[in-house]
Amino acid sequence: MKKILHSLVIGGAMALLPLVSYAGVDPTTAWFDGEDFESYEVGTVIPAAQGWEKITGADMTVDIKTASQTGGSATGKVLGFATVANSALTEPASGPAFSHKKTFSTLTGVVHIKVSSYSCTRGTFLIFLNSNGEPVFGFGGKDSNAENKSNLFYTQELLTYSGGYLVGATTAINVNAIRGRFYDWDMVLDLTNKKVISVKGSYKTNAGATNTNTVNTISLTNGGDITSLAIVAPAYAVGAMDNVTIGQLIADKIANFAGDAQFQTLSGTQVDKTYSVKALANVASLNLTDLEIPGGNSDITWSVSDWGGLSVADQEKVSLVRRATNHAEAVLTTTDAISADANITLQAVCGATTITKEVALKAVSVAGLKEGLATEITTAGALVTGVTDSNPYLTGIIGTLNTAIVNAQGVYENPLVTVDDVAAAISTLQAAELAFSTALSPYTDFVAYIATVQAANDAETRTAAFFTAIKSDLGSAIAAATAARTTVTSEIDITSAESALQTALTTFNEAIPSYDNLSTSITTVTTSYTAANARVGTKFLNYSAATVATLNDAITAANNILSTGTTTTALDNAKTTVEAALATFNTTGRIAPESTPIVYKIYTYGNDGGDGNTSNKQILYANGAALNYVSVSSATGSENDKWEIAEVSPNVFTIKNAITGDYIARSGDLPAMAATPTNLTLPEAKSQTGLIEVESGFYLYGILDGTRALEVDPSPDFYWRNGIADRLRFAFHFEEYDMTTGISNVNISKAIVSTSYYDLTGKAVTSDAKGFVIKKVTYSDGSVENIKVMIVK
């Protein structure tokens, strides 16, 4: 029998899956958890629904959506989890990662889980969490990105998501390589022993056949209980389910009655023997055998079904008692010797299944006890022959046990011994076996630990000088421990040798991050160097050659230490140095605008939906209190397309319109022109990872105000958006504006009527201004000349 103690069901009218329904429940909108009914209307936000809790990211909506199988005609209604509100379950253009969970009654022991789902897009995961919030088991789809495929897998490690993709140590179930499919998952987890007993993943092909893959016996990192189901989806992801059933499993049958077939009773002594049953189950079309039955959850009845002629008086000395914490085990106990041999029958009953085992109870006799003594001698001898190493410590404990074996053998061979003599010999030999095993245990652990450390040494295959050095040190410690296997004389020696090896392994493990951290820092600094080195120059937004060369020198020095350094001190110091070089580089920044303002025009070459369309050149201009762009072929706004850029601090600027005198700012999502300066940063490329150059100009991805970026909109406007734009259509091109066009020398043959002065941006100034200005001369014939002059005070 299978007994589901707790279930979660999400209803959805899926074409390829049976529809789960309950009286009065609409399965297309219902979540049924066996206790409380919830009806989700289309568009319900999950955190607002009963029992759900948002873990991270955006709120998911719950919609009944139409799903269609890729490449086929199969369609069906599913309960979709997404951040989009269309009727069909499709991949959104983009979206944040999100994660929600629903908590239910704690499940322990052996758990049976069935899920019917639809994998729409990149990596929607279902994860069962324990009471500590740790993933016990997860499954779902993952997009390989490059081929835009979904590889279904489950994982035994903590799931994280980065860059829109879930990652983790995984074991693949290659059910299908194409997303957009209806799937069935059927699995059995043993939470007590932290293992996956079996997982079956299947999907219906477009031809109607079932494609199935089954994987058995996988270790779990976490276990012990399951308290909630989490739905995790990265960016660009949506997913859906038809139903989820979760419950603790009681097997179809009990079987495999284990325990000794012979039982020697003793006078005046209590003797206990443990008997147990395991289970057979037929779930997920998987015939599972030797399934451990969860303690306390299985209603198994134990009894002696046939006393085999044992007298009533002797029956009172015998009992069979089920363990209180594990109904799959019972203890057969005798409190005194029985008067005559008898074959009794033990019985275990679970539901309609009954299994039995015959046990021979032995009355006290020399012959009977000698049979038990012979068995004990064999057991003790196996302990001795199982030891293959040789050293003074082992010689001592083996000698002690051998003496006990010889003494027991003498009792066995003596025809004159009494019942008490044999019983005492059994007890003495058993005590010697226990003492031997106890003494052997620390040595066995020591040998196993040497193998563990050697595996750690072998697993590190990098060949840099640093690894040669630390592996040499660890190798020496392994050699010393291995040598100690032949010389130890006491448990103190064993503890001391193992402790020295533990210290060496700790030192080895603690050293490795120094290399990894330096390597990571070099990669980070090199990324900045690569972007900067392609943009060395003398104009605004270029990097100076000297600054870039200094950064490269720091990278070269760090790489040299990475290759030749042999100590953590050398690597840690190199990490500090190269990171300091990057910090200096970042604070130095790019070349700032000239101190005497040079006027720039700011262009974008794209509109929404186009990337770098150079035939569609747009120019940024101030439109009163707003900010717009227009085609360069248009005269509109051309008088306000001149911009001054001033550096406030490295890579932080203000951008002022040279004609209106106002600064670029924003008001909510809209751009604005303001008299008060606003500090702006000019991020390098999408996600601020590098500058884009086109032609001879300088392109930046966006203009940032805090966390918002100025982006080109489909209409002839700019808008402030959250985050960094990820396409070239949002790039801005800075081009020096030639204010000297049209300037000539004064014509002395004409009479001058009036003169006035302007700075290089065209703004009126007084005649006592310093530096270069434009002198506007008006002649008597009405003609005008602009003259560039230098006024020195």
Side-chain angles (χ1 to χ4, degrees):
M1 84 183 154
K2 287 187 282 289
K3 182 179 180 183
I4 300 300
L5 302 181
H6 186 96
S7 65
L8 299 172
V9 176
I10 302 175
M14 204 175 255
L16 301 179
L17 301 170
L19 187 63
V20 179
S21 62
Y22 298 88
V25 176
D26 178 3
T28 64
T29 59
W31 175 291
F32 184 85
D33 68 3
E35 298 169 359
D36 300 312
F37 169 69
E38 300 170 19
S39 178
Y40 292 167
E41 299 297 330
V42 172
T44 297
V45 178
I46 279 190
Q50 181 180 351
W52 281 99
E53 174 187 356
K54 183 169 71 173
I55 301 174
T56 185
D59 289 341
M60 282 190 285
T61 56
V62 181
D63 288 351
I64 307 303
K65 296 179 179 292
T66 300
S68 300
Q69 181 149 306
T70 299
S73 59
T75 61
K77 295 288 186 179
V78 291
L79 188 62
F81 299 90
T83 55
V84 292
N86 51 11
S87 59
L89 194 61
T90 58
E91 177 182 302
S94 65
F98 49 78
S99 176
H100 294 66
K101 71 176 181 179
K102 183 178 179 68
T103 302
F104 48 86
S105 302
T106 298
L107 300 174
T108 59
V110 180
V111 178
H112 181 207
I113 300 167
K114 296 185 71 174
V115 181
S116 298
S117 63
Y118 178 82
S119 177
C120 174
T121 183
R122 297 180 180 176
T124 301
F125 269 77
L126 285 78
I127 305 172
F128 298 103
L129 305 176
N130 62 20
S131 56
N132 294 325
E134 300 166 322
V136 175
F137 186 76
F139 56 98
K142 179 181 180 181
D143 185 13
S144 62
N145 194 19
E147 297 180 4
N148 210 26
K149 293 179 179 179
S150 178
N151 298 314
L152 297 180
F153 63 86
Y154 57 87
T155 178
Q156 60 213 50
E157 301 294 338
L158 181 65
L159 292 172
T160 60
Y161 49 85
S162 174
Y165 300 98
L166 291 164
V167 297
T170 62
T171 303
I173 303 180
N174 295 314
V175 176
N176 186 31
I178 305 175
R179 60 187 180 181
R181 294 277 186 175
F182 297 100
Y183 293 93
D184 283 330
W185 297 91
D186 206 337
M187 59 198 76
V188 178
L189 313 183
D190 183 348
L191 303 178
T192 302
N193 296 295
K194 296 185 178 182
K195 65 181 179 181
V196 176
I197 296 173
S198 182
V199 175
K200 174 188 175 184
S202 62
Y203 75 97
K204 293 288 187 181
T205 68
N206 290 317
T210 300
N211 183 307
T212 302
N213 196 353
T214 300
V215 179
N216 300 318
T217 316
I218 302 294
S219 296
L220 295 174
T221 300
N222 298 309
D225 58 19
I226 287 179
T227 59
S228 58
L229 171 67
I231 300 172
V232 180
Y236 297 94
V238 294
M241 289 183 288
D242 182 61
N243 63 76
V244 177
T245 302
I246 309 170
Q248 287 176 286
L249 177 69
I250 289 182
D252 297 305
K253 299 177 181 179
I254 53 174
N256 304 332
F257 207 136
D260 290 345
Q262 183 169 300
F263 194 117
Q264 178 64 62
T265 65
L266 297 176
S267 299
T269 301
Q270 178 175 319
V271 181
D272 296 329
K273 293 283 187 179
T274 298
Y275 293 85
S276 64
V277 293
K278 289 200 174 182
L280 301 174
N282 187 357
V283 294
S285 300
L286 306 168
N287 293 314
L288 304 176
T289 59
D290 292 335
L291 184 66
E292 292 190 18
I293 299 173
N297 293 323
S298 299
D299 188 15
I300 300 175
T301 301
W302 295 83
S303 63
V304 178
S305 61
D306 187 342
W307 288 103
L310 194 66
S311 68
V312 173
D314 282 343
Q315 290 180 25
E316 293 177 354
K317 303 174 184 177
V318 180
S319 63
L320 180 66
V321 179
R322 184 180 70 184
R323 290 195 187 277
T325 57
N326 187 351
H327 294 182
E329 289 186 348
V331 177
L332 180 63
T333 299
T334 60
T335 56
D336 203 347
I338 60 174
S339 58
D341 292 352
N343 292 330
I344 67 173
T345 301
L346 308 185
Q347 175 178 280
V349 179
C350 180
T353 304
T354 300
I355 55 176
T356 60
K357 184 178 186 68
E358 187 175 275
V359 177
L361 290 184
K362 296 290 185 178
V364 173
S365 68
V366 171
L369 288 175
K370 279 192 173 183
E371 288 182 15
L373 180 58
T375 299
E376 212 61 56
I377 291 172
T378 300
T379 299
L383 292 177
V384 171
T385 57
V387 178
T388 57
D389 281 3
S390 176
N391 56 55
Y393 178 76
L394 294 177
T395 298
I397 64 173
I398 289 173
T400 300
L401 182 56
N402 274 332
T403 298
I405 292 173
V406 170
N407 291 338
Q409 186 68 32
V411 172
Y412 180 80
E413 295 174 353
N414 186 348
L416 303 178
V417 293
T418 65
V419 166
D420 291 341
D421 293 335
V422 182
I426 292 174
S427 178
T428 299
L429 185 53
Q430 287 175 335
E433 291 168 9
L434 178 60
F436 175 84
S437 296
T438 301
L440 182 63
S441 180
Y443 181 80
T444 302
D445 292 343
F446 173 50
V447 172
Y449 188 67
I450 293 174
T452 297
V453 177
Q454 183 65 61
N457 187 285
D458 295 341
E460 182 51 74
T461 59
R462 288 175 282 187
T463 58
F466 175 74
F467 293 105
T468 300
I470 64 173
K471 288 186 69 175
S472 176
D473 292 341
L474 186 59
S476 297
I478 294 171
T482 302
R485 290 177 60 174
T486 64
T487 61
V488 291
T489 60
S490 66
E491 189 171 339
I492 294 176
D493 290 344
I494 296 171
T495 301
S496 177
E498 185 169 348
S499 178
L501 187 55
Q502 287 174 337
T503 299
L505 180 60
T506 299
T507 300
F508 177 81
N509 287 332
E510 290 178 348
I512 290 176
S514 292
Y515 183 93
D516 294 336
N517 292 340
L518 175 57
S519 179
T520 299
S521 295
I522 291 173
T523 299
T524 300
V525 178
T526 300
T527 298
S528 294
Y529 166 78
T530 302
N533 189 50
R535 298 159 186 95
V536 173
T538 60
K539 293 184 176 182
F540 169 54
L541 299 181
N542 284 152
Y543 294 90
S544 72
T547 300
V548 175
T550 299
L551 188 62
N552 186 46
D553 290 342
I555 295 170
T556 300
N559 272 317
N560 180 60
I561 296 299
L562 192 68
S563 299
T564 63
T566 58
T567 66
T568 56
T569 300
L571 269 61
D572 292 344
N573 288 341
K575 175 180 180 291
T576 300
T577 300
V578 75
E579 288 177 349
L582 179 60
T584 300
F585 172 81
N586 288 336
T587 55
T588 302
R590 288 170 280 166
I591 294 175
E594 297 288 342
S595 57
T596 299
I598 294 180
V599 179
Y600 295 88
K601 287 191 175 184
I602 303 177
Y603 299 102
T604 175
Y605 277 86
N607 56 2
D608 193 67
D611 292 327
N613 181 3
T614 56
S615 64
N616 189 20
K617 188 174 184 179
Q618 312 285 342
I619 187 167
L620 180 68
Y621 72 98
N623 182 14
L627 195 64
N628 296 133
Y629 69 88
V630 69
S631 171
V632 293
S633 62
S634 171
T636 304
S638 60
E639 68 279 8
N640 293 340
D641 63 356
K642 307 171 185 65
W643 303 92
E644 291 179 3
I645 303 175
E647 185 176 47
V648 178
S649 60
N651 292 333
V652 178
F653 306 93
T654 59
I655 302 179
K656 181 176 71 173
N657 191 277
I659 304 303
T660 68
D662 289 331
Y663 295 85
I664 290 180
R666 72 175 169 90
S667 176
D669 285 340
L670 298 175
M673 300 301 296
T676 303
T678 297
N679 289 343
L680 304 169
T681 60
L682 305 179
E684 299 173 353
K686 60 181 179 180
S687 303
Q688 306 187 66
T689 57
L691 183 66
I692 302 296
E693 289 193 13
V694 177
E695 299 173 344
S696 60
F698 310 98
Y699 270 90
L700 302 220
Y701 268 85
I703 297 173
L704 284 188
D705 169 20
T707 60
R708 293 191 173 225
L710 187 65
E711 297 183 0
V712 181
D713 191 80
S715 61
D717 294 306
F718 284 82
Y719 283 86
W720 292 97
R721 303 295 191 198
N722 285 324
I724 307 297
D726 63 357
R727 294 185 183 275
L728 183 57
R729 64 174 180 256
F730 301 126
F732 300 100
H733 171 200
F734 294 78
E735 180 181 285
E736 291 183 10
Y737 185 80
D738 186 1
M739 291 295 294
T740 64
T741 301
I743 294 177
S744 63
N745 294 322
V746 64
N747 189 338
I748 60 176
S749 66
K750 297 180 180 180
I752 299 175
V753 175
S754 63
T755 60
S756 55
Y757 295 87
Y758 300 86
D759 64 16
L760 296 184
T761 70
K763 182 179 292 186
V765 296
T766 61
S767 61
D768 61 352
K770 295 180 181 180
F772 284 105
V773 297
I774 304 300
K775 180 179 180 180
K776 181 179 180 181
V777 180
T778 304
Y779 298 100
S780 59
D781 63 358
S783 61
V784 176
E785 295 285 350
N786 292 324
I787 308 166
K788 184 179 181 182
V789 299
M790 169 69 78
I791 300 176
V792 180
K793 296 291 183 180

